[in-house]
Amino acid sequence: MAKITSEELGQEPIGKLLIKQAVPASIGILVMSLNVLVDSIFVGNWIGSIAIAAINVVLPVSFFIAALGMAIGIGGSSIISRALGANNRDKALKTFGNQITLTLLVTITMVALGLYFVDSLIPAFGGKGAIFEPAKIYYTIILYGVPFLALCMMGNTVIRAEGKPRFAMIAMIIPSVGNLLMDYIFIYVFDWGMQGAAWATTVGYLLCFFYVFYFFLSDNSELKIDISHFGLDRSILREIGSLGFVTLARQAVTSITYLLMNNILFNLGGEAMVAVYAIIGRMLMFALFPVFGVTQGFLPIAGYNYGAVKYDRVKESIYTAIKYAALVATLVFVVLMVFPSEIASLFLSNRPELSPEEIETNNFVRQHTPLAMRLVFAATPIIAIQLIGAAYFQAIGKAIPALLLTLTRQGFFFIPLILILPNFMGEIGVWLSFCIADVLSTVVTGFFLQKEIRAELS
């Protein structure tokens, strides 16, 4: 097999290159999303619907800490892509070393704080009533594996920045497959309940870490760092921080959104309403995997060609990525509009030994999820413009517009909407907030993206 090099990012036809980059990214995201989806189905059927709600409460905290690694990874990978495009390998190596050091320092500190404040964080994120105890069990175990997940997420973006999408895909598949296998063993065979679900996820993180570690030691990676590269460099840290803050801010706002949503929905309908949102949240992660895959594939192409001053290729990559992402988003939209009831039923147990409370919760979820799903995904066909537009500014190193456009949907529109609309429309107001925020953020992003293309790439 011929060795893949980063130079291909500046040479191959954009359409072919985007498919080559996006398909492995989509497959990787698909498997990770299937992992979350099937994991929730296993938990719902083998433990109960309250357990799904408990995991949904924990996800914002653990994902935020792991997102620190992704933020450092994406911020540094933007530098690496542009440095490789400009043939500046010294900067690429120093950036990678700084990413590793910074990820370890930040995530270990955050895990320590997360464990110390466990009894305050879980209720704050909606872990109240019957949800609290299973959420605490899951949270405590998961947090020990989060630094490894953060290193995996950081490393995965660097692998992609080198132009090695196949290896990045494998790194995303390994923890998912490992988690599902461990789910079966720990929950179904050993009957460990929530502890089994948590340990299965943590083992998946460790397997991913070992693979990423192997990749960078092997001949497949162009980034061969030594001890001198681990010393923190202020200028590189500043650039990583400014670009990575875009990703971190997005995840921070996502965590705040979960906090608000879980509490608002708990007040509207108790644990059962939180379970509805848990299913919707899983579908938001799973159903849009091809759109996120196109976005991930687009980032290194835009960054490399921008660094190589090949602006025609940059512009072509933007329009091609939007076209591909819009197409797959429309297909997703059709499926979700036609089969919402069938999708919701996958998460609910039909065991004969269900308690009356569990039966009542399941019936509530079956009744309320279809309409919620249709409203939440109503604007899906147009979200490609928002995702690709925000990603473009991050890829070329323009942190401020990338930050503002990234925060547009959830920060500027969605959060105010969910604080206002439920007061007048109840549950419907919560779900309508999703599609309204999608439409408004797409319009804003499209305006600024077109303005940037005319000013810089024409």
Side-chain angles (χ1 to χ4, degrees):
M1 181 185 296
K3 187 174 180 179
I4 302 171
T5 63
S6 57
E7 284 81 3
E8 291 184 3
L9 296 171
Q11 297 171 356
E12 288 196 6
I14 293 296
K16 177 182 177 182
L17 188 59
L18 186 61
I19 292 173
K20 189 175 180 180
Q21 291 286 325
V23 169
S26 296
I27 293 172
I29 295 171
L30 168 62
V31 175
M32 287 188 68
S33 302
L34 275 173
N35 168 45
V36 174
L37 192 70
V38 177
D39 183 58
S40 299
I41 293 171
F42 285 172
V43 168
N45 282 271
W46 294 340
I47 304 177
S49 54
I50 295 299
I52 299 178
I55 294 176
N56 198 58
V57 166
V58 171
L59 285 179
V61 183
S62 59
F63 274 15
F64 176 73
I65 299 174
L68 291 166
M70 178 177 282
I72 295 167
I74 290 178
S77 295
S78 174
I79 303 171
I80 290 172
S81 287
R82 285 177 282 122
L84 291 174
N87 201 28
N88 187 351
R89 292 192 176 273
D90 288 340
K91 185 173 183 179
L93 293 171
K94 186 67 175 175
T95 300
F96 182 40
N98 274 231
Q99 285 177 288
I100 295 173
T101 303
L102 190 58
T103 301
L104 287 171
L105 289 174
V106 172
T107 56
I108 291 174
T109 300
M110 292 298 294
V111 166
L113 292 172
L115 290 171
Y116 183 78
F117 292 107
V118 56
D119 289 328
S120 302
L121 286 170
I122 290 177
F125 277 84
K128 304 169 184 176
I131 299 175
F132 177 79
E133 283 302 326
K136 183 175 181 180
I137 292 170
Y138 190 83
Y139 173 92
T140 304
I141 296 171
I142 283 292
L143 226 55
Y144 291 119
V146 165
F148 296 101
L149 175 62
L151 286 168
C152 291
M153 296 175 84
M154 182 276 294
N156 189 275
T157 61
V158 176
I159 294 172
R160 205 175 301 284
E162 287 194 57
K164 311 290 173 40
R166 184 170 62 86
F167 292 97
M169 174 189 72
I170 294 172
M172 298 172 76
I173 291 174
I174 286 175
S176 303
V177 174
N179 180 30
L180 294 179
L181 290 174
M182 293 301 105
D183 265 342
Y184 178 78
I185 295 171
F186 292 160
I187 302 176
Y188 187 77
V189 177
F190 292 169
D191 195 24
W192 287 357
M194 288 301 292
Q195 290 188 8
W199 279 116
T201 302
T202 301
V203 168
Y205 296 163
L206 288 170
L207 293 174
C208 179
F209 169 76
F210 289 132
Y211 176 80
V212 171
F213 187 70
Y214 153 77
F215 171 83
F216 287 112
L217 290 181
S218 73
D219 292 337
N220 295 306
S221 175
E222 301 172 48
L223 300 175
K224 300 304 178 187
I225 57 176
D226 56 46
I227 194 67
S228 66
H229 297 123
F230 290 102
L232 297 177
D233 181 284
R234 183 173 297 180
S235 64
I236 289 177
L237 288 180
R238 189 181 300 115
E239 194 170 359
I240 289 175
S242 63
L243 294 171
F245 185 71
V246 176
T247 298
L248 187 59
R250 178 172 60 241
Q251 187 57 46
V253 172
T254 299
S255 295
I256 293 171
T257 299
Y258 268 89
L259 183 153
L260 293 172
M261 287 287 290
N262 285 331
N263 281 281
I264 290 170
L265 291 172
F266 187 88
N267 292 332
L268 287 172
E271 293 92 344
M273 190 67 81
V274 177
V276 172
Y277 179 47
I279 293 174
I280 296 296
R282 297 302 181 277
M283 294 311 299
L284 283 167
M285 297 173 67
F286 167 73
L288 300 178
F289 78 89
V291 184
F292 296 142
V294 173
T295 304
Q296 289 292 313
F298 164 76
L299 281 166
I301 300 171
Y304 186 98
N305 285 284
Y306 191 86
V309 200
K310 297 181 178 180
Y311 294 151
D312 286 343
R313 287 177 61 82
V314 176
K315 184 162 62 173
E316 184 183 354
S317 71
I318 294 170
Y319 291 134
T320 304
I322 290 175
K323 180 174 66 176
Y324 287 1
L327 175 62
V328 294
T330 301
L331 294 176
V332 168
F333 169 80
V334 171
V335 173
L336 292 172
M337 293 302 108
V338 174
F339 302 109
S341 299
E342 291 79 1
I343 292 169
S345 296
L346 293 173
F347 294 87
L348 302 174
S349 175
N350 291 312
R351 301 192 319 270
E353 66 272 19
L354 287 177
S355 68
E357 292 79 10
E358 289 176 314
I359 293 173
E360 183 180 354
T361 299
N362 284 357
N363 289 337
F364 182 96
V365 172
R366 283 193 180 93
Q367 180 182 354
H368 287 255
T369 302
L371 176 60
M373 194 174 297
R374 286 192 172 106
L375 292 176
V376 167
F377 288 95
T380 297
I382 66 171
I383 63 170
I385 296 172
Q386 204 277 327
L387 292 173
I388 299 298
Y392 167 71
F393 287 99
Q394 196 166 8
I396 65 172
K398 294 192 175 184
I400 298 301
L403 173 63
L404 294 176
L405 292 177
T406 296
L407 295 180
T408 297
R409 179 187 178 274
Q410 288 188 307
F412 299 155
F413 295 128
F414 183 69
I415 289 178
L417 285 167
I418 62 170
L419 291 175
I420 296 170
L421 291 186
N423 295 320
F424 302 97
M425 306 174 69
E427 174 194 352
I428 299 298
V430 174
W431 310 128
L432 272 176
S433 299
F434 283 87
C435 60
I436 295 173
D438 282 335
V439 172
L440 294 175
S441 60
T442 296
V443 171
V444 171
T445 303
F447 172 80
F448 284 104
L449 177 62
Q450 193 60 38
K451 182 179 178 181
E452 176 72 13
I453 290 172
R454 286 197 301 266
E456 300 293 333
L457 302 180
S458 297

